[in-house]
Amino acid sequence: MNFTSDNVSGAAPEILEALIAASSSGPTPSYGADPLTARVTEKISALFERDAVVFPVATGSAANALALATLAPPYGAIYCHEMAHVNTDECGAPEMFTGGAKLVGLPGAGGKLTPGLLRATLEKAGVGVVHSVQPAALTLTQATESGTVYTPDEVAALAEVARGYDLPVHMDGARFANALVRLGCSPAELTWKAGVDVLSFGATKNGALAAEAVVFFRPELADSFAFRRKRAGHLFSKMRFLSAQLDAYLTDDLWLRLARYANAMADRLAAGLTAIPGARLRDPVEANEIFIDLPEPVIAGLEQRGYAFYRWDGTVIRLVTAWNTEAGDIDRMIADARELSAATR
Amino acid sequence: MNFTSDNVSGAAPEILEALIAASSSGPTPSYGADPLTARVTEKISALFERDAVVFPVATGSAANALALATLAPPYGAIYCHEMAHVNTDECGAPEMFTGGAKLVGLPGAGGKLTPGLLRATLEKAGVGVVHSVQPAALTLTQATESGTVYTPDEVAALAEVARGYDLPVHMDGARFANALVRLGCSPAELTWKAGVDVLSFGATKNGALAAEAVVFFRPELADSFAFRRKRAGHLFSKMRFLSAQLDAYLTDDLWLRLARYANAMADRLAAGLTAIPGARLRDPVEANEIFIDLPEPVIAGLEQRGYAFYRWDGTVIRLVTAWNTEAGDIDRMIADARELSAATR
Amino acid sequence: MNFTSDNVSGAAPEILEALIAASSSGPTPSYGADPLTARVTEKISALFERDAVVFPVATGSAANALALATLAPPYGAIYCHEMAHVNTDECGAPEMFTGGAKLVGLPGAGGKLTPGLLRATLEKAGVGVVHSVQPAALTLTQATESGTVYTPDEVAALAEVARGYDLPVHMDGARFANALVRLGCSPAELTWKAGVDVLSFGATKNGALAAEAVVFFRPELADSFAFRRKRAGHLFSKMRFLSAQLDAYLTDDLWLRLARYANAMADRLAAGLTAIPGARLRDPVEANEIFIDLPEPVIAGLEQRGYAFYRWDGTVIRLVTAWNTEAGDIDRMIADARELSAATR
Amino acid sequence: MNFTSDNVSGAAPEILEALIAASSSGPTPSYGADPLTARVTEKISALFERDAVVFPVATGSAANALALATLAPPYGAIYCHEMAHVNTDECGAPEMFTGGAKLVGLPGAGGKLTPGLLRATLEKAGVGVVHSVQPAALTLTQATESGTVYTPDEVAALAEVARGYDLPVHMDGARFANALVRLGCSPAELTWKAGVDVLSFGATKNGALAAEAVVFFRPELADSFAFRRKRAGHLFSKMRFLSAQLDAYLTDDLWLRLARYANAMADRLAAGLTAIPGARLRDPVEANEIFIDLPEPVIAGLEQRGYAFYRWDGTVIRLVTAWNTEAGDIDRMIADARELSAATR
C-alpha cells in the first residue's frame, strides 16, 4: 500500500501490449521516422484540434527542460510557482538545458500563480536593462504541486499577463490528464485556447512506462527543439517504443479512463480521511493528490502498519493515487486510520 | 530487408517479457530504489569481476555524454577518434553535458586510435598552460565506427598513454557485446584489466528497447554522476523498466547469444558479398557492421530491389546486421547482388 | 552632482600614474608573468597576513562569477541574500560561469543574511538527494546592498553554519574597503579569520579604473580558477595594467584613505539629510551608501535642480558617495534639500 | 629585446593621455551611457562607412567569444582555420560562451582557409540532420596566425561560400590594423563590403592597454550581445576608460601609424634575417609577425644573447614586432644573427 507517488505504479496492460506489437512489426526506421511516431502527432493534433508539432521524450524533466530551453535564452528569466517541479525537483535541469537561465519562483496559494503577482513581478523585471535577466517564459504546472488545478479562465488570465510581455507560456502537464478530467473541459480549452504555447503532455505517471510528449501549438517556436533533444541524449533510436506508448495511451480514451480512475480513488481516500477527527485538507483534492493534515498518532500508526506516503510539512502528509490503485487498499487505509484515531482519543 | 542500422530492429522477446513481469510486481520504489536496479548492479559487478557503480540510462548518447561530463571539466579536452559517434553523431552532446569541453578527434586506420599519435598529441597539448584546454579524458569506441574491434592489448596500450597524463579512460560500448564475442575474451579483460575506467555498456542495439548502463570501475570517479543524470532528465521515475531490460539482457547469456548471432549474420553477408567481382571490404568485419566497396551498378540495383543501407563514401556502403536479422534475407541479398553483378558484365 | 553610484567617479591620480609607469617599463611578459602581478600577490598576502592565491580581473561581476564557478558545480546551490548583486544585477553571470548552478536568495533585514534562516534553509536543502541542487557555496556581500556592514562576528556566525555543510564561503567585496574602515578591524579579521575562503576584493568603485582581485585564502580551492578566467576572456594579455592599478591601490594605504573619505562624505550627507523633517534612514549608513526616505517634494525638487540618484523604492532614494565626492557638493545638496523642505511646509 | 608577442609592449602615450583626460571629466554615466562611448560608435561608423553597432570590451578572447555566441546556437558549428586563436589559444572560450558549440578547424596553407575546402566541408555537414551540429558561423583571422593577410577578394570568396549556407561571417581582427595597412584598402573593403558581418576590432596589441571593439555591420545580428556581455562580466562600469582608449586609437590615424610602424619593423627584421645563409621564411611577412626557419646554432645563439621569441615548430621561430619596437634592437638582432651564422660555418 504505497501512496508515495503515482510513479510507483506499473504500466497499463494496453501500453505493454502496444510495445509488443511495435516490436513485432519488422525493421522500422529509427529516430522518429517511423509510422507510429507520425500517428502520434496526428492523434495529438486531432485531440487538441490544432496542427501541433510533437516530440516524444521519456521523462517529464526532459520534456520540461527541453521545452523551456527552446523558449528562453541563457540570459532569460522563467517565471514559475516557487514550488514548481522545475524549480525544486529537477536538480537544475532547466538551468542546464537553457545554459543558465534563471527560474523566478513566485508564491501563490494552493500551488497557483496569480496574475496580480506575476504582473507586478514583470513590471519590476527590468525589460531591456542589461543588468537583469530578461523575462523569457511563463511555466504553469497542471495539476499543480498542491494537487489543485487551474481552470481555463485562470490559465487565460495568467497567459494574458505573459502575452503583455511577449512571453510564451509553457504548461508542465505531468498530471495533465488528471486535471483535464476533473475540469471536464476539452484539451484545447485547457491549453492553446487559454494561451498555452507548449505543453509537456505527461503519460508516465498515468500508466505509461516512460513517455511524455512535448506539444508545440505554435510551430514557429519549435525550430531548435529537435537539435536540443538529440544533443541532450533524448532522441531515442528505437523511437517507436516511445510512440507506441503514446499511441496506446491515446487510443479509445485510455488516458482519460486511467486518470478518472486515479482521481476517483483520490476522492474516495480523501472522503474517508477527512471524516477523521482532527483531519483537515490543506488543499482541495482536484486531481489525484491529497495533502492532508492528520493527528500525529494517526500518521505514525499508519506508517507502522506499512502504509507508505510522504510527510510533507509537519503533520501534513501527501498521498497519491494512481491508475491502478486498488479500492480495497483505499478502504483498508481509511479503516485503519479510523481505528488509530479512535484509539488515541 | 533493412540493413541501415541495428537500431531498426525490435526488442528481444525475453526483454519484452521482463517488462511485463516488472509491471506486474506491484508498487515499486521509484528513481532506482527498486530491487531490479540493485540486481542489475550485482549482475554487472559479477560479470565484470569487480564491484562497479552502475547507472542505467535510456540512450547511448546519454550514457556517453554523462560519463564524459563526469570525467572532464568544462575546460577539458577529450581525445577520441575523429569518426567517433561522440564527435560526429550526437549533435554536440558531450559539449553540452560537459559545459563546453573540447573533443579532439584524431585520425587512425580502421577507426582505431593509435598510441603513437595519442602520445604525440598529448605531448603538445599544453598541460598546465592556461591558453589550452586541458587533457581530461580518452574515449574509445568498441566496436569502432568502422566495424573493427580493439584487442585488449590495443586498449591497454592506449590506456597506458592516457594514464601517463592522468586521463581516465572511457569506452563507448554501444556494440560492446559484438566486440566481446568476436574477441572471445572476458568482459574484465576488455575493460578495467586493460585500463578502462568507465564503460557505456550498450544494450539497445543488441535487443533492448532503450537501455544502456554506465559502469564505473573506479567508484571514486562516479561522485557527480547521479546529480548529472537527474539534471539531464535521464533519471527515470519508473526505473525498473530500464533495469528490467538490462536484467533480462544479462540473464542466461542472452546478450552474448544475440551478439553472436548478429556477428554471424554479418560474416555470412560479408562472405557472400566479397565473392562478387570488384567487391572489396574497406575494413575487416569484426563485429556486426560491414563496410564494403561494391560496383556502382550492384549498389544501385540492390537499392532498386528494396534493400536499405547507407552509402558511406563513394561506392562504399555500410550494412549492419542485428540480433534478429533473418538468414534468408542475407542469402537473398547475396543472390541478388550476384545476379546484378553478372548482369553488368 | 551625481550620486547614482560610486562608479560614476574617475580614477585616483596615484592609480593613473601607476599605469603610466607600468607602460614605460619596457617589454614585459604577458598574461600575468610580470613582476607587478607577483608584487600584488605579495602585498595582498602581507595585508591579509596569509599566503593567498591572487587573480586580478577587471570587473566585479567577473570576480564574483569566476570565484563562484570555482566553488560550485553545475548542480550546486549558492546561498546569497535575495538582494545580492550576484542575484539581481549581473544578468545571470554566476549561472553562466557555473554552467547553471542555482542562486538561492534569502531575505534578511538590512541586506544581511542571518545564521538562523541559512541553517533552516540548509536543513531542508536535500543534501545527497538527486532531485535537489546541492548546497555548494555561501556568498556574502560586504558592504551589503543596503549600505550596511557585517561585523566579523556576524560573518563568523554565518560561516560556521556554512562550514557545517562543508560549504566554502565567498565574500563579494566590491565595497570591502568601505566596510573595513568603518569596522576598524584588520583585513584578516574580516575575512579568513571569520571563515571567508575567497574574497572578491574590489578596487574599481574605490578609485581604480577597472580592477579587482580574487583572493583565495585556501589555495586548494583555486585549482581551476586560472583556466576558467582564461576561458571567460578575463585573462589580460597586458596584465601589468591590471596589476599596476592594484599595486598603487595598496600602496601607502591609498585604498583605506579613499574609502575613509567616501564614507565620511556619506556620513556628512546623511547627517544633513536626516535633519530634514520627514526624512528617515531606511538603513544605518555604514559604508558609502545612503538609503533614505524623503518627502516626495524634496526628492522631486532635488531632481529638478540636477541632482542625480536612484529612486529605490517609493520615496526611498539611494545616494552613493565616492573617493572624490566634493564636500561642497554635499553641502549644497543638503542646503537645497532644506530649502525644498521648507518650501513645502 | 623581446619579440615573443606584440602584447609585451606597453601603451601608446596618446592612449594613456586619453585615460587621464577621461578621468578628469567629472562624474560620468556608467556602463556605456557616457559621451565617449557614443563617440566611439560614431567614429567607427564613419571609419567603416556604415552605421555599426559597437561594443567595447577589454580582451580579444572576450570579443571573439561574445561575437560568436551571438551568432551561433549551442548546437552550432563554427568554421575556422585549425590554427585559429579561437580554436587553440582561448582555453575553449567560444565553447563556453556559446554553451557548447563546436569549432570545426580546417587546414589551409599560410594560415588561410580556402573556399574549396570550406564548401566541401559544408556540403557534408548535415544541414537539418539532427545528429549533426548545424553550420552556424564562419570566423576568419585577419591577419592570420601565420602572419599573412587575406585580401578583400579572398575574404569575399570565403564569405560567398558562407552566405550560401546562411552563415554569418566573423572576423577576428586582433591584428586588423596591421593587415589593413599592408593591403592598402579601406576598412569597409576589408570587412562588410567583402561580406564580413561582425568584426573583433583589436586595439590592445597595437598600442592600447586593453581595448577591443566588437563591430556589428548588420545590427539585426547584435540583439543579444549586450546581455551576453553583461552576463560574461565584460560590461565595464567605468566604460569610459575602455572607450577613451578606442577614441584615442582612432584619432588622427594613430592606429594606422602604429600598425605601419610595427609592420615596417617586421619587414626590416625579416629582410635582415632572410639574408642569413640557411634562413627561409615559412610564410610571407604580411603583417607584424615573422615565421622563419633558421639554423639551430643561430637560434640557440640568439637565445643565449638574451633575445626572446617563440620556437614555433622545429627550427621555425616566431618573431613579433610592435608599435614601439626600436629599430636599434632590430638592427642589433640582425647583426648578432649574422655573427652567429658566420661563426658556425
Side-chain angles (χ1 to χ4, degrees):
Chain A
M1 281 147 303
N2 185 324
F3 296 98
T4 53
S5 178
D6 28 15
N7 62 31
V8 303
S9 66
E14 295 88 338
I15 289 175
L16 286 164
E17 281 157 25
L19 289 181
I20 294 168
S23 188
S24 324
S25 60
T28 301
S30 43
Y31 296 116
D34 62 283
L36 261 177
T37 302
R39 195 156 81 197
V40 166
T41 291
E42 282 166 28
K43 279 194 175 171
I44 288 179
S45 294
L47 183 66
F48 282 89
E49 307 168 48
R50 187 171 181 108
D51 279 347
V53 180
V54 177
F55 300 95
V57 295
T59 71
S61 291
N64 290 336
L66 283 166
L68 293 173
T70 303
L71 303 178
Y75 50 87
I78 298 168
Y79 299 88
C80 62
H81 193 277
E82 60 186 358
M83 291 289 92
H85 203 263
V86 290
N87 197 32
T88 64
D89 281 297
E90 300 184 352
C91 197
E95 287 89 342
M96 176 188 176
F97 283 63
T98 57
K102 201 177 192 77
L103 294 179
V104 179
L106 302 176
K112 296 193 211 176
L113 292 170
T114 60
L117 181 57
L118 178 61
R119 183 178 294 110
T121 304
L122 284 165
E123 277 167 5
K124 290 184 166 184
V127 173
V129 176
V130 295
H131 309 285
S132 306
V133 286
Q134 295 296 296
L138 169 66
T139 178
L140 307 175
T141 311
Q142 179 75 310
T144 75
E145 303 296 334
S146 296
T148 60
V149 302
Y150 288 102
T151 65
D153 282 353
E154 287 173 332
V155 173
L158 287 160
E160 195 191 333
V161 175
R163 204 65 77 225
Y165 286 83
D166 283 329
L167 304 193
V169 179
H170 167 256
M171 179 172 276
D172 173 358
R175 294 190 180 96
F176 183 78
N178 302 285
L180 186 83
V181 299
R182 180 71 66 175
L183 288 160
C185 60
S186 75
E189 286 164 353
L190 197 49
T191 55
W192 64 269
K193 287 188 176 173
V196 173
D197 301 306
V198 191
L199 172 68
S200 293
F201 182 54
T204 307
K205 291 182 194 294
N206 192 30
L209 295 84
E212 318 275 312
V214 180
V215 182
F216 283 85
F217 299 112
R218 288 169 55 196
E220 74 275 16
L221 294 177
D223 284 353
S224 72
F225 192 94
F227 299 105
R228 293 183 187 276
R229 179 177 57 172
K230 172 67 193 185
R231 175 178 181 71
H234 283 290
L235 178 63
F236 276 44
S237 57
K238 298 184 176 177
M239 177 73 92
R240 59 169 134 171
F241 290 122
L242 283 187
S243 299
Q245 295 179 61
L246 294 168
D247 186 55
Y249 187 65
L250 297 173
T251 297
D252 296 337
D253 289 346
L254 174 63
W255 69 298
L256 299 174
R257 279 183 283 128
L258 297 175
R260 271 190 208 106
Y261 180 86
N263 286 5
M265 288 302 107
D267 292 348
R268 185 171 183 148
L269 183 52
L273 294 180
T274 48
I276 287 171
R280 196 185 61 81
L281 285 175
R282 193 199 65 178
D283 296 289
V285 175
E286 296 178 352
N288 61 324
E289 293 186 284
I290 300 165
F291 292 85
I292 190 166
D293 197 336
L294 287 177
E296 175 59 35
V298 174
I299 298 174
L302 288 170
E303 287 174 334
Q304 209 171 358
R305 294 184 185 193
Y307 295 94
F309 46 78
Y310 275 108
R311 284 176 174 263
W312 210 252
D313 197 12
T315 52
V316 173
I317 62 170
R318 187 184 81 159
L319 302 157
V320 192
T321 57
W323 65 274
N324 65 350
T325 301
E326 290 185 29
D329 286 346
I330 298 280
D331 296 342
R332 215 165 4 258
M333 187 180 192
I334 294 167
D336 277 336
R338 278 189 192 145
E339 198 178 294
L340 288 158
S341 170
T344 63
R345 271 174 297 167
Chain B
M1 281 146 301
N2 185 325
F3 296 99
T4 53
S5 177
D6 28 14
N7 62 31
V8 303
S9 65
E14 294 88 339
I15 290 175
L16 287 165
E17 281 157 25
L19 289 181
I20 294 167
S23 188
S24 323
S25 60
T28 302
S30 44
Y31 296 116
D34 61 283
L36 262 177
T37 301
R39 194 156 81 197
V40 166
T41 292
E42 281 165 29
K43 279 194 174 171
I44 288 180
S45 293
L47 183 65
F48 283 88
E49 307 167 47
R50 187 169 180 110
D51 279 346
V53 180
V54 177
F55 300 96
V57 296
T59 71
S61 292
N64 291 335
L66 284 167
L68 292 173
T70 303
L71 303 179
Y75 51 87
I78 298 167
Y79 298 88
C80 62
H81 193 277
E82 62 185 357
M83 291 288 93
H85 202 264
V86 289
N87 197 33
T88 66
D89 281 296
E90 299 184 352
C91 199
E95 286 91 340
M96 176 188 175
F97 282 63
T98 56
K102 202 178 192 75
L103 293 179
V104 178
L106 302 176
K112 296 194 211 174
L113 291 170
T114 59
L117 182 56
L118 178 61
R119 183 178 294 110
T121 304
L122 285 165
E123 277 167 5
K124 290 184 166 182
V127 174
V129 176
V130 293
H131 309 287
S132 306
V133 285
Q134 294 297 296
L138 168 67
T139 176
L140 307 174
T141 312
Q142 179 77 308
T144 76
E145 303 297 332
S146 296
T148 59
V149 301
Y150 287 102
T151 64
D153 282 353
E154 287 172 331
V155 173
L158 287 160
E160 194 191 333
V161 176
R163 204 64 77 225
Y165 286 81
D166 282 328
L167 303 193
V169 179
H170 168 254
M171 180 172 276
D172 173 0
R175 294 188 180 96
F176 183 78
N178 301 284
L180 185 83
V181 298
R182 180 72 66 175
L183 288 161
C185 59
S186 75
E189 286 164 352
L190 197 49
T191 55
W192 64 270
K193 287 188 177 173
V196 173
D197 300 305
V198 192
L199 171 69
S200 293
F201 182 53
T204 307
K205 290 182 196 294
N206 192 32
L209 295 86
E212 319 275 310
V214 180
V215 182
F216 284 84
F217 299 112
R218 285 169 56 198
E220 73 275 16
L221 294 176
D223 285 352
S224 73
F225 192 95
F227 299 105
R228 294 183 184 276
R229 178 176 59 173
K230 171 67 193 185
R231 175 176 180 73
H234 283 290
L235 177 63
F236 277 43
S237 57
K238 298 184 176 176
M239 177 72 93
R240 60 170 135 172
F241 289 123
L242 283 186
S243 299
Q245 295 179 62
L246 293 167
D247 185 54
Y249 186 66
L250 296 173
T251 297
D252 295 337
D253 288 346
L254 174 64
W255 69 299
L256 300 175
R257 279 184 284 130
L258 297 176
R260 270 190 209 108
Y261 180 86
N263 286 6
M265 288 299 107
D267 291 348
R268 185 171 184 148
L269 183 52
L273 292 180
T274 48
I276 287 171
R280 197 184 61 80
L281 286 175
R282 193 197 65 177
D283 295 290
V285 175
E286 296 178 351
N288 62 324
E289 293 187 284
I290 301 165
F291 291 85
I292 189 166
D293 197 337
L294 287 177
E296 173 61 33
V298 175
I299 298 173
L302 287 169
E303 288 174 334
Q304 211 172 357
R305 293 184 185 193
Y307 294 94
F309 46 78
Y310 276 107
R311 285 176 173 264
W312 211 250
D313 196 12
T315 51
V316 172
I317 63 170
R318 187 185 81 160
L319 301 158
V320 191
T321 57
W323 66 274
N324 65 351
T325 301
E326 292 186 25
D329 285 347
I330 298 281
D331 297 342
R332 214 163 8 255
M333 188 180 192
I334 294 168
D336 277 336
R338 278 187 191 147
E339 197 179 293
L340 288 159
S341 171
T344 61
R345 271 172 297 168
Chain C
M1 282 144 299
N2 186 325
F3 297 98
T4 53
S5 178
D6 28 15
N7 61 30
V8 303
S9 65
E14 294 88 339
I15 289 176
L16 286 165
E17 280 157 27
L19 288 181
I20 293 168
S23 188
S24 324
S25 60
T28 302
S30 43
Y31 297 116
D34 62 281
L36 262 178
T37 302
R39 195 157 79 197
V40 167
T41 292
E42 281 166 29
K43 279 194 176 173
I44 289 180
S45 293
L47 183 65
F48 283 89
E49 306 168 49
R50 186 170 180 109
D51 279 346
V53 180
V54 177
F55 301 95
V57 295
T59 71
S61 291
N64 290 335
L66 284 167
L68 293 173
T70 303
L71 302 180
Y75 50 88
I78 297 167
Y79 298 88
C80 62
H81 192 277
E82 61 185 359
M83 291 289 94
H85 203 263
V86 290
N87 197 32
T88 65
D89 280 298
E90 300 183 354
C91 198
E95 288 89 340
M96 176 188 175
F97 282 63
T98 56
K102 202 178 192 77
L103 293 179
V104 179
L106 302 177
K112 296 194 210 175
L113 291 170
T114 60
L117 181 57
L118 178 61
R119 183 178 293 110
T121 304
L122 285 165
E123 277 167 5
K124 289 185 165 184
V127 174
V129 176
V130 294
H131 309 287
S132 306
V133 286
Q134 295 297 296
L138 168 67
T139 176
L140 307 175
T141 311
Q142 178 77 309
T144 76
E145 303 296 334
S146 296
T148 58
V149 302
Y150 287 103
T151 64
D153 281 353
E154 286 172 331
V155 173
L158 286 161
E160 193 191 334
V161 176
R163 203 65 78 226
Y165 286 81
D166 283 328
L167 303 193
V169 179
H170 167 254
M171 179 172 277
D172 173 0
R175 294 190 179 95
F176 183 77
N178 302 284
L180 186 83
V181 299
R182 181 72 66 175
L183 288 160
C185 60
S186 75
E189 285 164 352
L190 198 49
T191 55
W192 64 270
K193 287 189 177 172
V196 173
D197 300 305
V198 192
L199 171 69
S200 293
F201 181 54
T204 307
K205 290 182 196 294
N206 192 32
L209 296 84
E212 318 275 311
V214 180
V215 182
F216 283 85
F217 299 111
R218 285 168 56 197
E220 73 275 16
L221 293 177
D223 285 353
S224 73
F225 192 95
F227 299 106
R228 294 182 185 276
R229 179 176 58 171
K230 170 67 192 184
R231 175 179 182 72
H234 283 290
L235 177 63
F236 276 43
S237 58
K238 298 184 178 177
M239 177 74 92
R240 59 170 134 171
F241 290 122
L242 284 186
S243 299
Q245 294 179 61
L246 294 167
D247 186 54
Y249 186 66
L250 297 173
T251 297
D252 295 337
D253 289 345
L254 174 63
W255 69 298
L256 299 176
R257 278 183 284 129
L258 297 176
R260 268 189 211 110
Y261 181 86
N263 286 5
M265 289 300 108
D267 292 348
R268 184 172 185 145
L269 183 51
L273 293 180
T274 48
I276 288 172
R280 197 184 59 82
L281 287 175
R282 193 197 66 177
D283 296 290
V285 175
E286 297 178 350
N288 60 325
E289 294 186 283
I290 300 164
F291 292 85
I292 189 166
D293 197 336
L294 288 176
E296 175 59 34
V298 175
I299 298 174
L302 288 170
E303 287 174 334
Q304 210 171 358
R305 296 185 185 193
Y307 293 94
F309 46 78
Y310 276 107
R311 283 176 175 264
W312 210 252
D313 197 12
T315 51
V316 172
I317 63 170
R318 186 185 82 160
L319 302 157
V320 191
T321 56
W323 65 274
N324 64 349
T325 300
E326 292 185 26
D329 286 345
I330 298 279
D331 296 342
R332 214 166 5 257
M333 189 180 190
I334 294 168
D336 276 336
R338 278 188 191 145
E339 194 178 298
L340 287 159
S341 171
T344 62
R345 269 172 300 166
Chain D
M1 283 146 300
N2 185 325
F3 297 98
T4 54
S5 178
D6 28 14
N7 61 31
V8 302
S9 64
E14 296 87 341
I15 290 176
L16 287 165
E17 281 156 25
L19 288 182
I20 293 167
S23 188
S24 324
S25 60
T28 302
S30 44
Y31 297 116
D34 62 282
L36 262 178
T37 302
R39 194 156 82 197
V40 167
T41 292
E42 281 165 30
K43 279 194 175 172
I44 288 180
S45 293
L47 182 66
F48 284 88
E49 306 167 46
R50 189 171 180 107
D51 280 346
V53 180
V54 177
F55 300 95
V57 295
T59 71
S61 292
N64 291 334
L66 283 167
L68 293 174
T70 304
L71 302 179
Y75 51 88
I78 298 167
Y79 298 89
C80 62
H81 192 278
E82 59 185 0
M83 290 290 91
H85 203 263
V86 289
N87 198 32
T88 65
D89 280 297
E90 300 184 352
C91 198
E95 287 89 341
M96 176 188 175
F97 283 62
T98 57
K102 201 178 192 76
L103 292 179
V104 179
L106 302 176
K112 296 192 210 176
L113 291 170
T114 60
L117 181 57
L118 178 61
R119 184 179 293 110
T121 304
L122 284 165
E123 277 167 5
K124 290 184 164 182
V127 174
V129 176
V130 294
H131 309 288
S132 307
V133 285
Q134 295 296 296
L138 169 66
T139 178
L140 307 174
T141 311
Q142 179 76 311
T144 74
E145 303 296 335
S146 296
T148 60
V149 301
Y150 288 102
T151 65
D153 282 354
E154 287 173 330
V155 172
L158 286 160
E160 195 191 332
V161 175
R163 205 65 77 226
Y165 285 81
D166 284 329
L167 303 193
V169 179
H170 168 255
M171 179 172 276
D172 173 359
R175 295 189 180 95
F176 183 77
N178 302 285
L180 187 83
V181 298
R182 180 71 66 173
L183 287 160
C185 60
S186 75
E189 285 164 353
L190 197 49
T191 55
W192 64 270
K193 287 188 177 173
V196 173
D197 301 305
V198 191
L199 171 69
S200 294
F201 182 53
T204 308
K205 290 181 195 295
N206 192 31
L209 295 84
E212 319 275 310
V214 180
V215 182
F216 283 84
F217 300 111
R218 287 168 56 197
E220 73 275 15
L221 294 177
D223 284 354
S224 72
F225 192 95
F227 299 106
R228 293 183 185 277
R229 179 176 56 173
K230 171 67 193 184
R231 175 177 180 71
H234 283 290
L235 178 63
F236 276 44
S237 57
K238 299 185 177 176
M239 176 73 93
R240 59 170 134 170
F241 289 122
L242 283 186
S243 299
Q245 295 178 60
L246 294 168
D247 186 53
Y249 186 65
L250 296 173
T251 297
D252 297 336
D253 288 345
L254 174 63
W255 68 299
L256 300 175
R257 279 184 283 130
L258 297 175
R260 270 191 210 108
Y261 180 86
N263 286 6
M265 287 301 107
D267 292 348
R268 184 172 185 147
L269 182 53
L273 293 179
T274 48
I276 286 170
R280 197 185 59 80
L281 286 176
R282 193 197 66 178
D283 296 288
V285 174
E286 296 178 352
N288 60 325
E289 293 187 284
I290 300 165
F291 291 85
I292 190 166
D293 197 336
L294 287 176
E296 174 58 35
V298 175
I299 299 174
L302 288 170
E303 287 173 333
Q304 210 172 356
R305 295 185 185 193
Y307 294 94
F309 45 78
Y310 275 108
R311 285 177 174 263
W312 210 251
D313 197 13
T315 51
V316 172
I317 63 171
R318 186 184 83 160
L319 302 158
V320 192
T321 56
W323 65 274
N324 64 350
T325 301
E326 291 185 27
D329 286 345
I330 298 280
D331 297 342
R332 214 164 7 255
M333 186 180 194
I334 294 168
D336 276 336
R338 277 189 192 144
E339 196 178 295
L340 288 159
S341 171
T344 63
R345 268 173 299 168

